[in-house]
Structures are given as C-alpha cells and as structure tokens.
Amino acid sequence: MTADVIDGKAFAATLRARVGTEARRFEADSGRKAGLAVVLVGEDPASQVYVRSKHKATVEAGMASFEHRLPADAAEAELLALVAQLNADPSVDGILVQLPLPPHMDEAKVIAAIDPDKDVDGFHVVNVGRLATGLHGFVPCTPLGCLMLLKERLGDLSGLEAVVIGRSNIVGKPMAQLLLQESCTVTIAHSRTRNLPEMVRRADIVVAAVGRPEMVKADWIKPGATVIDVGINRLPPTGDESKGRLVGDVAYDEVRDVAGAITPVPGGVGPMTIAVLLRNAVVAAYRNAGLDLPKDRL
Ligand code: GUN
C-alpha cells in the first residue's frame, strides 16, 4: 500500500480563504477590522521568521495586524505592561506572545497575564481548563489543525484508537484532549513509555510530536493507519548541501508503504498552524464584539 498524502498546504489555503470571508463579514457587521497583536521579545531568528509570516497572513486575511517588538534585555515588567495595554485595547481581539521568551522572563507568568478571551494560542490555564472540561475556549493552533486534517480525512473519529507521541502543553496534551472529545480511545506516549512500537501499532491514528527526526518507523504502524507528523527537524547538512533537509518525526519514505494516509514535512501540519491562528483570531473578534458566528462557518 502507498499512503495517500494529506495536503496540509492546500487545506490551510482553503481555511485561510474561509477566514478571509468571515473577517470581511465581521468588518461589515461591526464597523472595524478583527485585530491580532503579536509580541516578539528579542531577535531569535526562527521567531522573527514566524512573526513575519503571521503578520503577512493576518493582513492577507483582511485583518488588522499589530506587531510589538521589545529588546531581548527588556524587563519582564515592561512585557507585562504591554500585555495589559493590549488586554484593554478594544481594537485587539487576539494576543500572541511569541515563545520562547528570553531566560530572565517567566513564560507562565506572562501567559497568565493575557486575557483568556484574547488568548488565541489557547495557552492560558483558563483555556486549558475549558478544553479539558468541554467548554468553549481557545484551542492551541497546531493540535486543532491536526484535528481538522484528521476529520477531513476520516470523518467521524468515534471509537478509533489514537496514540499521541509527545506530552507537551502546546501539542501533545491538547491533542489528546481533542481526540478524547471526538470519542477516540487515546493513549499519550512519551520518552518513558515502555515498548513504544507495540503501543503505536495499536493505533488507527498516530500523532507524532516528539521532536526526534524520523523516529517513527514503518514496523510501528498498523497497515492503513492515519499518520500525522507534527515534527519539523533539520538534519545536519550532507555532501554539497548548504542546509540540512527538513524532516518530521516519522520516517516518511518507509511509513508511506504501510500507512493509509500521512502528512508530509514540509507541507503537512506546518501550514495549518497559522491558518488556525487566523481562524481563532476571527472567532475571538466575533465573541468579543458580542456577535454570532455560526459554528459550521469556521
Ligand atoms: N513559538 C513556536 N510556536 C509557537 C506558537 O504556536 N505560539 C507561540 N506563542 N509561540 C510559538
């Protein structure tokens, strides 16, 4: 069997177009653009790339983008004051503080300072609690993007065995919660899990989010399973390469021969993250303005 390739790039483009439609409708209904504020502290090169692409995508979706940059040696109090100002600003619907923060800042404290109803990353404990108890809130963008791809591929997920490899707050734990909400039987595997290959072989759905290049092998996969690869790892350059290849957490070339469907790296989960961020920001705008956004529209 050769797995079908799940085209996250195409799905993300469709979602972004839908978000654009809803952002225009929001502007017509409310008389203002939906607004997303992104805060970058310091000059981490990868974070700068992310923040630039978020800005571009926000503007392309017809939303207002507010970018705030603080120097790497800014005091934590300065960042907290900026977050308080954005919380109070009615033109800002969503706030994203780009992580990681410099080591002298307490990430948990900064996330806790964001108004939960503007927390489009879904990292605030109030949103973590809402997700865990099935209340409406914001769900972290990457796992929600993975769920959208899974539902597009499989339809109803009820009763399926899902194994999530990785237990981070950003991907593994919220992914497990989402799959549980879809009535999957969910296992969270991690670095201390015994006999990981055997555990993964039970799964109809595998979500790999460990950050270990090509760790998941073909003989770990039940034939026909759906494999979602969240990993983005750069291999060391070989031969005449100037930069190493980007690979996921799944050994793509061999797993393709066993799985029913698989997301590639790049072009799978990656493009979904920003599309879902924009979706969360438009949802925030409707909620914060007290307007109704019917559930099936985004
Ligand atoms: N850094 C890497 N990914 C993310 C993300 O999804 N949100 C935030 N705030 N920072 C990140």
Side-chain angles (χ1 to χ4, degrees):
M1 175 189 289
T2 300
D4 294 332
V5 178
I6 299 175
D7 188 345
K9 201 171 161 191
F11 190 94
T14 307
L15 177 57
R16 277 166 64 163
R18 284 195 351 247
V19 169
T21 303
E22 297 310 326
R24 279 194 299 279
R25 201 191 311 250
F26 176 80
E27 189 175 356
D29 290 354
S30 71
R32 67 172 181 88
K33 281 188 195 292
L36 174 64
V38 174
V39 180
L40 174 62
V41 184
E43 273 152 29
D44 177 63
S47 293
Q48 285 183 326
V49 172
Y50 287 136
V51 167
R52 256 200 308 277
S53 19
K54 283 170 193 166
H55 171 76
K56 188 164 164 271
T58 305
V59 172
E60 276 171 14
M63 297 159 64
S65 170
F66 307 102
E67 232 180 274
H68 296 268
R69 289 167 185 260
L70 295 178
D73 61 356
E76 187 184 83
E78 201 180 332
L79 176 57
L80 291 172
L82 173 58
V83 168
Q85 179 198 318
L86 297 171
N87 283 342
D89 185 341
S91 59
V92 172
D93 297 293
I95 302 169
L96 180 146
V97 177
Q98 184 68 30
L99 303 179
L101 291 171
H104 67 282
M105 291 190 180
D106 180 347
E107 281 185 1
K109 192 169 165 189
V110 173
I111 291 166
I114 299 171
D115 177 346
D117 295 327
K118 295 190 177 189
D119 169 38
V120 284
D121 259 329
F123 293 168
H124 193 289
V125 286
V126 166
N127 285 317
V128 176
R130 285 169 171 163
L131 174 60
T133 53
L135 296 174
H136 275 296
F138 292 107
V139 177
C141 304
T142 301
L144 184 52
C146 293
L147 183 72
M148 288 176 178
L149 294 177
L150 282 167
K151 288 174 82 166
E152 161 81 2
R153 165 76 194 176
L154 296 169
D156 182 11
L157 308 183
S158 170
L160 297 179
E161 286 264 2
V163 173
V164 178
I165 316 173
R167 54 175 156 176
S168 70
N169 290 338
I170 296 182
V171 183
K173 287 181 204 165
M175 187 75 244
Q177 292 286 1
L178 285 169
L179 291 165
L180 189 57
Q181 226 165 60
E182 296 297 322
S183 303
C184 293
T185 301
V186 184
T187 304
I188 307 180
H190 48 77
S191 55
R192 302 287 176 90
T193 296
R194 288 189 209 149
N195 211 345
L196 183 58
E198 189 180 303
M199 182 142 306
V200 176
R201 262 194 300 275
R202 297 206 312 238
D204 304 300
I205 294 169
V206 180
V207 180
V210 267
R212 296 242 220 121
E214 301 179 315
M215 183 179 88
V216 177
K217 307 296 185 202
D219 64 357
W220 299 22
I221 301 296
K222 175 159 106 176
T226 303
V227 178
I228 304 290
D229 190 352
V230 182
I232 301 178
N233 312 286
R234 196 170 286 284
L235 295 178
T238 55
D240 53 4
E241 288 175 351
S242 62
K243 279 203 279 187
R245 260 185 331 123
L246 274 186
V247 297
D249 292 347
V250 176
Y252 183 83
D253 290 337
E254 57 179 84
V255 169
R256 258 198 97 174
D257 294 337
V258 185
I262 185 168
T263 58
V265 176
V269 173
M272 290 300 291
T273 300
I274 289 186
V276 175
L277 172 68
L278 301 175
R279 178 251 176 220
N280 282 356
V282 171
V283 170
Y286 272 89
R287 278 190 205 154
N288 293 341
L291 295 171
D292 189 37
L293 174 64
K295 197 174 177 302
D296 57 352
R297 288 231 302 261
L298 274 178

